[in-house]
């Protein structure tokens, strides 16, 4: 987790936009648990993971929309 926060600080120092996706709750069998975080950059690149697969693809797509609107969102997948 320390590396993730270092990446956030690096992005801020470069005045680079980032989105932070946080898994708030998880039910059933999931590869990552509540509290998992992932950074998404405007070019679609990411740091870390919140679980992979189609779920993570949807989160990345939604994060890219957030760059356009500038409004935070809470989503249920």
């Amino acid at each position: 987790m320390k590396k993730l926060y270092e990446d956030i600080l690096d992005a801020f120092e470069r005045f680079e936009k980032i989105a932070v996706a946080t898994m708030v709750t998880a039910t059933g069998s999931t590869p990552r648990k509540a509290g998992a975080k992932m950074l998404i950059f405007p070019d679609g690149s990411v740091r870390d993971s919140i679980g992979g697969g189609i779920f993570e693809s949807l989160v990345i797509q939604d994060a890219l929309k957030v760059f356009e609107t500038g409004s935070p969102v809470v989503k249920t997948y």
Side-chain angles (χ1 to χ4, degrees), residues 1-8 32 35-38 48:
M1 184 77 70
K2 181 180 177 184
K3 176 68 172 127
L4 183 94
Y5 289 112
E6 289 171 354
D7 288 343
I8 292 171
R32 301 287 308 265
K37 295 184 183 323
M38 176 175 71
D48 216 331

Side-chain angles (χ1 to χ4, degrees), residues 10-71:
D10 288 343
F12 282 145
E13 288 174 347
R14 291 189 309 270
F15 300 99
E16 185 175 15
K17 290 183 178 183
I18 56 170
V20 180
T22 304
M23 187 180 307
V24 178
T25 61
T27 57
S29 177
T30 61
R32 301 287 308 265
K33 300 300 177 197
K37 295 184 183 323
M38 176 175 71
L39 302 182
I40 303 101
F41 295 87
D43 66 359
S45 64
V46 299
R47 301 285 188 286
D48 216 331
S49 173
I50 55 171
I54 188 70
F55 164 67
E56 193 162 285
S57 291
L58 293 171
V59 171
I60 293 167
Q61 288 175 15
D62 287 336
L64 295 176
K65 291 176 191 170
V66 167
F67 287 119
E68 295 172 15
T69 66
S71 299

